[in-house]
Amino acid sequence: MADLLILRSRLRDVGNFQVRRLLPAAKKQAVGPFLFFDHFGPHQLEPFVDYDVRPHPHIGLSTVTYLFEGRMLHRDSIGSVQAIEPGAINWMTAGRGSAHSERGPEELAGERRRSHGLQLWAGLPKSLEEREPAFAHASAGAIPEDQRGGVQIRVLVGRAWGLESPVVPLSETLYIDIALPAGGVLDLPPLAAERAVYSVEGVCSLQGQRVDEHTMVVLPAGDTIRLEAQAPARVVLIGGEPLDGPRFLWWNFVSSRRERIAEAAKEWDAHQTPRIPGETEWIPLPGAPSFLS
């Protein structure tokens, strides 16, 4: 596919299930501010099986969670408690350091249920990497949506096609959920300096060239690209202004400085990172950062 960089997903184990990871990739660390992209599910969750994501720390990033199916409960170290449901945007900014957990609702523990969604990390500008932690949530009903020629568009973050999300990012950010019917066509204008399309469900095409399910395609800057689907398909469009320089990533930590990663690891290992009210679990570090040895 000329001029279009293709990124294939890699399976990674997270707790009791696997995710498809697209970013960071060997060929591309980030698209706009997004330097981490995980697609989980659809999973069939069995009754009384533990699928919780236990308390873990972050620095230097914002976690962005979006569900297509299922329900989870977010708790964090600044005291936020928020149910996440399909169509909502859950945005937690770790800044200088915070911790969070994502658990299945207790009232659904005995039920068979499904889980399907995306979690992205947005890197912070260098000047904001050590800011105070914060949390914001936009319900599904608050997310603007429209149809263009039968194509449903939901602007999760940013501005596009006359719609503006209520989510306030820390740099120019674009995140759009697009559902195409059979025969659906949508032209993607240069809405951001960097853009990529990820196929969540179904096969689509860009400029007439096939894009397989679970594939990310980085689009050339400044071009309007035609998106088409012969059968129903769902994609997300991500992007924004690129980060102001490369980032170091290790475990759940992101920083423009190696030594800050080491500091964060030592803080968590010494139980000095803020704890989540009502949570008692603590996950040990997965070894030491390889680039520090």
Side-chain angles (χ1 to χ4, degrees), residues 119-232:
Q119 186 169 92
L120 283 61
W121 295 354
L124 306 183
K126 291 178 183 178
S127 62
L128 298 176
E129 285 184 313
E130 297 298 319
R131 60 156 287 166
E132 289 294 312
F135 174 80
H137 181 83
S139 67
I143 300 297
E145 58 182 87
D146 197 7
Q147 289 206 5
R148 300 176 72 88
V151 177
Q152 184 183 44
I153 300 166
R154 304 189 79 236
V155 179
L156 310 180
V157 186
R159 296 181 297 274
W161 292 288
L163 305 174
E164 183 170 359
S165 169
V167 177
V168 181
L170 296 176
S171 62
E172 184 182 333
T173 304
L174 186 68
Y175 189 10
I176 302 174
D177 180 5
I178 302 171
L180 298 103
V185 178
L186 181 67
D187 287 332
L188 306 177
L191 297 166
E194 293 187 347
R195 298 166 296 159
V197 168
Y198 174 70
S199 177
V200 176
E201 295 177 315
V203 174
C204 59
S205 67
L206 290 168
Q207 294 297 90
Q209 300 183 59
R210 178 187 173 100
V211 177
D212 291 328
E213 188 176 61
H214 306 153
T215 298
M216 179 176 286
V217 180
V218 180
L219 307 182
D223 291 353
T224 294
I225 303 294
R226 174 153 290 188
L227 171 67
E228 300 178 83
Q230 297 303 309

Side-chain angles (χ1 to χ4, degrees), residues 14 27 32 47 71 84 90 93 100 102 112 145 149 160 170 179 181 187 200 207 221 239 241 243 250 255 270 272 288:
V14 177
K27 296 179 180 179
R71 190 168 182 262
I84 310 175
N90 203 70
T93 297
H100 72 141
E102 291 163 320
R112 180 174 284 108
E145 58 182 87
L170 296 176
D187 287 332
V200 176
Q207 294 297 90
E241 283 295 322
L243 290 167
W250 182 77
S255 180
Q272 293 175 345

Side-chain angles (χ1 to χ4, degrees), residues 23-31 34-36 243 245-249:
L23 294 174
K27 296 179 180 179
K28 186 77 172 171
Q29 183 185 50
V31 176
F34 293 117
L35 42 64
F36 184 90
L243 290 167
R247 295 296 188 267
F248 296 101
L249 288 83

Side-chain angles (χ1 to χ4, degrees), residues 248-254 261 265 285-291:
F248 296 101
L249 288 83
W250 182 77
W251 196 35
N252 301 306
F253 304 133
V254 170
I261 300 283
L285 290 173
S290 59
F291 57 76

